[in-house]
């Protein structure tokens, strides 16, 4: 579609009149935003129709990415960039007297995810569309996304995220594509004409209504779809008798009980709760997605035996793994396929990504609850498991322990990860180290059973959002230096490397970073009334708050530095600004205490005039995609300091590196691969290796109290937590103290402390040499292209989904 600035301006004016009967002068900023975004969506709609027609006409194989979370953030600027009209939009709006950046700020983040997992799904959607691949999202339209975090007197306070309150311009309700999802009831099997027939009675029907969000590819006319399902009562959602009798609440009770399913995103990260509502959510969006996919392909005249040639379903983490059983149910019960044929199709259609080895994150459901909520699905899983156990028994003749270890139903629960592996042709980990651990430890038995199914796909991030959108100054400098080819093929960022020693260019990169830092310091001054020095090192740890991510290790180093400065005021250190941003799950007690601890330490250090502003600590509230876009471009140091083996991949690490920060890291997740590409000289590594960590877990030999007794620095830091020297009640941080000493420091914070302090010292020394630092920074940017999700998605397309480009002309 051809579009120039004048057309855009005219269309916009017209849209304001059509929507609000207003001209530019009358329209409020919010009306301007709504009308302008709706106009952009109109443009996308035309290309989406073309895209759909092409996919249908050529019977293109399509991927459906099933994910409980899609952390997509704001869409307006992203869409303008991908449509290649960002510049004319900004200029056009300016001519109409509208501040483009202010307009962009009006949009609310769609925060339908907790962290890395949900953001990965969003990056993959962007890459699939940009690579002209037919790939769509399938998820839940939560009425409330991840809570909004406020910090009040140092504590996290959660505020509901009512992102839909003022309407959401990017979605379209598709009432005619609704499907029924059935919960509970009684199932019986009867013989009919020599065939087994399933009768499901007394179930509770829930209407799943889809809302579609267009996903635009970069400069290629492709517009794919993100389909999010909303739960509604089927018909009788208003009890008129109760209403007439004056019981208003009872009248709407049923409606609310149904809508509860898509009411709110669970705010847990790396942690599962055996909650009935959660299982309901999972089955709800999976069943709705599968039913609507199968319905569409039947309409296209494709026989279900061939479904695997036209459809790939991706199971993003364990949450949607019930898809395996739901596909079987639809094929066997509704379309009377033979079990064996249906199973073959199901396994070929499904692929599974494992995101964590942490036991508490692998979903298990109590049999009783599962059976009651999903009686037919439970029967199907029993049958899948019966056949699978025979297969194990035949392969490992007589080894019952293998059966017990791998069985899907065991010890009173349904193990969902096992179902996903058994019912998929591919199981992948998300970084080399993580996949190795899966194969050798966590899923070793399954790897023995199905070695050909296991593979690695290291996570990635879209360079369009995380470089072009988030850091326009850096983007421009890169284009000025090496041209624009990297935008289409991010590996080409490598061209930058040959200039890494060029002092004129180093100076330009330094200037861009400094400008970003100044912009950020202004933001902090305005919002937090804290002055930070743009010439200090911006040292940033921004990610979910979790013990394994070890924000505490970071704080301990800061306290230690502070103690040293008090003892020796002339200590020659480069001033540092330590920036934290992290949400804690509302029920995660220790994580919330750590937030309070960071803020308490910040309060003390920021207000101590003796250290002459050499250290500043800022806790930015409400970490979200939009805040990440602000923080990451100004980072000098990227803190990726998880206990080795715990962070499956990480993607924050990639975003920071792409924006020129130096990674300070343990050899965990994708940090290992970042080191591989930039080389030892351009990353700072410290701490235990994953082998050492496993060894301690297995054989013991680590005693936190020993370190506490022998290391004066640790002794002072920990004692200071509970002796009242911080401006907080003495007991405030006792639980943290206790976990480190009485519970022997599960995440090896004290163990890695010395190594971390030394690594931080190396950072200080490296930063003092401006030329070396800039060289390192450029080398990091130059090698970040391999972490573009375009590369990751290409590998999924080739190795797992078996799909090819389908260009839209
Ligand atoms: C990238 C991202 C994450 C993931 O960060 P990690 O450091 O990999 O844990 C979490 N939240 C948001 C908002 C992100 O953009």
């Amino acid at each position: 579609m051809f579009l120039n600035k004048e057309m855009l301006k005219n269309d916009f004016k017209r849209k304001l009149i059509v929507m609000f009967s207003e001209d530019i002068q009358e329209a409020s900023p919010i009306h301007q935003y709504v009308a302008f975004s709706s106009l952009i969506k109109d443009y996308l709609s035309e290309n989406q129709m073309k895209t759909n027609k092409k996919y249908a006409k050529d019977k293109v194989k399509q991927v459906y990415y099933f994910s409980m979370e899609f952390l997509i953030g704001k869409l307006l600027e992203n869409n303008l960039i991908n449509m290649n009209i960002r510049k004319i939009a900004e200029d056009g709006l300016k001519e109409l007297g509208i501040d483009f950046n202010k307009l962009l700020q009006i949009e609310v983040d769609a925060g339908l995810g907790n962290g890395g997992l949900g953001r990965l799904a969003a990056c993959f959607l962007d890459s699939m569309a940009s690579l002209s691949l037919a790939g769509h999202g399938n998820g839940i339209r939560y009425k409330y996304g991840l809570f909004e975090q406020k910090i009040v007197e140092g504590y996290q306070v959660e505020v509901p995220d009512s992102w839909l309150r003022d309407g959401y311009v990017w979605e379209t309700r598709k009432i005619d594509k609704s499907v029924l999802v059935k919960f509970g009831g009684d199932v019986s099997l009867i013989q009919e004409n020599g065939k087994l027939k399933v009768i499901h009675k007394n179930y509770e029907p829930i209407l799943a209504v889809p809302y579609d969000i267009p996903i635009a590819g970069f400069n290629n006319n492709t517009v794919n779809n993100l389909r999010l399902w909303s739960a509604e009562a089927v018909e009788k959602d208003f009890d008129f008798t109760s209403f007439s009798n004056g019981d208003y609440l009872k009248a709407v009770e049923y409606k609310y009980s149904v809508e509860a399913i898509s009411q709110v995103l669970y705010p847990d990260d790396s942690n599962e709760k055996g909650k009935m509502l959660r299982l309901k959510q999972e089955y709800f969006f999976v069943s709705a997605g599968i039913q609507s996919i199968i319905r569409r392909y039947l309409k296209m005249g494709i026989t279900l035996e061939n479904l695997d040639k036209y459809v790939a379903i991706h199971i993003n983490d364990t949450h949607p793994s019930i898809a395996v059983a739901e596909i079987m149910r639809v094929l066997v019960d509704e379309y009377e396929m033979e079990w064996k044929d249906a199973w073959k199709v199901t396994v070929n259609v499904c692929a599974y990504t494992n995101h964590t080895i942490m036991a508490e994150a692998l979903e298990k459901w109590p049999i009783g609850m599962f059976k009651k909520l999903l009686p037919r699905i439970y029967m199907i899983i029993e049958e899948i498991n019966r056949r699978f156990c025979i297969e194990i028994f035949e392969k490992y003749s007589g080894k019952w322990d293998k059966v017990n270890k791998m069985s899907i139903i065991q010890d009173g629960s349904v193990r969902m990860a096992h179902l996903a592996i058994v019912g998929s042709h591919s199981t992948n980990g998300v970084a080399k180290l993580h996949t190795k651990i899966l194969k050798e430890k966590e899923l070793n038995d399954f790897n023995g059973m199905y070695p050909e199914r296991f593979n690695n796909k290291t996570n990635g991030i879209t360079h369009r959002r995380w470089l072009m959108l988030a850091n326009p100054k850096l983007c421009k400098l890169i284009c000025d230096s090496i041209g624009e080819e990297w935008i289409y093929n991010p590996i080409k960022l490598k061209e930058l490397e040959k200039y890494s020693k060029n002092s004129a260019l180093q100076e330009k990169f330094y200037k861009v970073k400094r400008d970003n830092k100044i912009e950020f310091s202004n933001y902090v001054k305005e919002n937090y009334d804290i002055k930070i020095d743009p010439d200090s090192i911006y040292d940033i740890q921004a990610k979910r708050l979790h013990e394994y991510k070890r924000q505490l290790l970071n704080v301990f180093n800061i306290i230690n530095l502070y103690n040293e400065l008090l003892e020796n005021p002339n200590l020659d250190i480069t001033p540092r600004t330590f920036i934290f941003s992290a949400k804690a799950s509302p029920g995660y007690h220790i994580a919330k205490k750590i937030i309070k601890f960071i803020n308490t330490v910040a309060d003390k250090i920021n207000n101590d005039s003796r250290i002459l502003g050499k250290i500043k600590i800022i806790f930015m509230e409400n970490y979200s995609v939009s805040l990440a876009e602000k923080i990451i471009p100004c980072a000098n140091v990227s803190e990726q300091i998880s206990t080795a083996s715990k962070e499956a991949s990480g993607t924050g690490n990639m975003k920071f590196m792409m924006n020129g920060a130096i990674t300070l890291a343990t050899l965990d997740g994708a940090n290992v691969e970042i080191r591989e590409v930039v080389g030892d000289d351009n990353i700072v590594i410290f701490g235990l290796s994953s082998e050492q960590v496993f060894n301690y877990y297995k054989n013991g030999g680590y005693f936190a109290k020993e370190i506490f007794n022998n290391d004066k620095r640790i002794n002072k830091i920990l004692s200071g937590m509970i002796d009242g020297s911080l401006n907080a009640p003495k007991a405030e941080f006792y639980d943290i103290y206790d976990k480190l000493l009485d519970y022997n420091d599960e995440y090896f914070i004290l163990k890695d402390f010395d190594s971390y302090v030394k690594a931080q010292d190396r950072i200080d020394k490296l930063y003092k040499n401006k030329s070396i630092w800039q060289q390192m920074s450029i080398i990091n940017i130059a090698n970040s292209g391999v972490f573009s999700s375009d590369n990751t998605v290409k590998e999924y397309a080739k190795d797992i989904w078996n799909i090819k480009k389908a260009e839209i002309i």
Side-chain angles (χ1 to χ4, degrees), residues 63-76:
V63 183
Y64 297 87
Y65 197 84
F66 279 41
S67 179
M68 200 74 182
E69 305 186 4
F70 287 93
L71 191 49
I72 55 180
K74 299 192 204 299
L75 288 184
L76 176 54

Side-chain angles (χ1 to χ4, degrees), residues 461-705:
I461 54 164
T462 166
H463 60 288
R464 286 165 292 274
R465 181 177 290 265
W466 296 109
L467 181 48
M468 295 165 67
L469 183 153
N471 201 342
K473 291 192 184 90
L474 182 58
C475 178
K476 178 163 187 309
L477 176 55
I478 296 171
C479 289
D480 291 347
S481 313
I482 59 168
E484 296 188 356
E485 220 188 317
W486 65 274
I487 290 176
Y488 296 88
N489 180 7
I491 296 286
K492 295 278 175 184
L493 281 169
K494 188 83 178 169
E495 301 278 306
L496 274 176
E497 201 168 73
K498 61 173 180 276
Y499 300 114
S500 65
K501 287 184 160 59
N502 176 321
S503 59
L505 209 70
Q506 285 179 357
E507 191 56 37
K508 286 185 188 161
F509 277 89
Y510 175 81
K511 173 91 171 39
V512 164
K513 181 66 79 182
R514 195 163 188 285
D515 286 350
N516 289 337
K517 286 165 78 176
I518 290 172
E519 213 171 287
F520 182 77
S521 72
N522 293 336
Y523 178 83
V524 170
K525 181 81 188 86
E526 268 166 43
N527 290 276
Y528 294 85
D529 197 29
I530 298 177
K531 236 180 107 181
I532 58 180
D533 172 9
D535 289 318
S536 63
I537 301 173
Y538 283 23
D539 180 326
I540 308 187
Q541 187 169 19
K543 49 180 74 246
R544 282 302 285 264
L545 200 310
H546 209 290
E547 287 165 279
Y548 85 79
K549 291 178 183 278
R550 300 201 295 191
Q551 279 91 354
L552 211 46
L553 178 58
N554 189 344
V555 189
F556 285 177
N557 172 65
I558 301 171
I559 299 173
N560 185 54
L561 192 60
Y562 172 69
N563 289 340
E564 281 184 3
L565 276 171
L566 289 186
E567 256 175 49
N568 178 6
N570 296 323
L571 201 67
D572 176 30
I573 64 153
T574 313
R576 280 241 206 172
T577 303
F578 293 96
I579 299 164
F580 291 86
S581 196
K583 290 180 184 176
S585 172
Y588 190 174
H589 170 74
I590 289 282
K592 293 174 91 169
K593 281 286 180 194
I594 294 172
I595 290 179
K596 171 67 177 169
F597 183 60
I598 297 170
N599 284 308
T600 306
V601 171
D603 209 39
K604 177 162 171 128
I605 296 183
N606 291 348
N607 294 308
D608 190 333
S609 57
R610 292 172 297 174
I611 55 156
L612 293 167
K614 279 189 178 154
I615 317 175
K616 278 271 157 66
I617 307 171
I618 317 281
F619 189 101
M620 308 280 296
E621 61 189 5
N622 202 38
Y623 192 52
S624 56
V625 170
S626 288
L627 186 58
E629 288 164 9
K630 243 198 255 307
I631 294 182
I632 293 171
C634 67
N636 297 118
V637 177
S638 157
E639 298 268 359
Q640 308 300 336
I641 60 177
S642 53
T643 310
S645 80
K646 296 286 179 190
E647 189 76 90
S649 166
T651 49
N653 45 4
M654 302 167 184
K655 299 168 196 163
F656 279 100
M657 160 199 205
M658 192 175 270
N659 284 275
I662 307 306
T663 311
L664 169 53
T666 48
L667 284 177
D668 199 16
N671 302 344
V672 175
E673 287 153 78
I674 293 179
R675 173 175 174 244
E676 265 174 32
V677 298
V678 301
D680 267 324
D681 291 345
N682 299 298
I683 186 167
V684 176
I685 298 289
F686 76 97
L688 294 175
S689 67
S690 56
E691 286 86 0
Q692 290 171 315
V693 168
F694 285 129
N695 193 45
Y696 279 125
Y697 283 142
K698 193 161 161 234
N699 303 319
Y702 171 49
F703 305 101
K705 277 187 180 151

Side-chain angles (χ1 to χ4, degrees), residues 91 128 160 400 473 544 757:
D91 294 348
M128 289 191 287
W400 278 107
K473 291 192 184 90
R544 282 302 285 264
V757 170

Side-chain angles (χ1 to χ4, degrees), residues 159-214:
V159 180
D161 165 42
S162 50
W163 67 294
L164 289 171
R165 195 187 47 203
D166 299 330
Y168 186 62
V169 291
W170 302 106
E171 67 178 10
T172 308
R173 181 178 163 94
K174 298 266 177 75
I175 189 66
D176 62 329
K177 303 277 193 306
S178 302
V179 301
L180 268 193
V181 178
K182 301 172 182 175
F183 289 102
D186 312 303
V187 174
S188 50
L189 299 176
I190 58 159
Q191 286 283 346
E192 203 180 81
N193 307 327
K195 279 202 156 178
L196 215 53
K197 218 173 137 67
V198 179
I199 308 290
H200 192 178
K201 282 193 205 147
N202 305 324
Y203 56 79
E204 183 189 12
I206 306 281
L207 193 66
V209 182
Y211 286 74
D212 288 356
I213 299 172

Side-chain angles (χ1 to χ4, degrees), residues 36-58:
F36 189 71
S37 297
S38 305
L39 172 64
I40 299 304
K41 180 162 178 271
D42 292 348
Y43 296 145
L44 292 176
S45 298
E46 286 194 35
N47 278 344
Q48 185 156 33
M49 184 170 77
K50 262 197 211 167
T51 304
N52 287 337
K53 288 204 160 135
K54 158 89 182 174
Y55 292 168
K57 182 170 138 286
D58 294 354

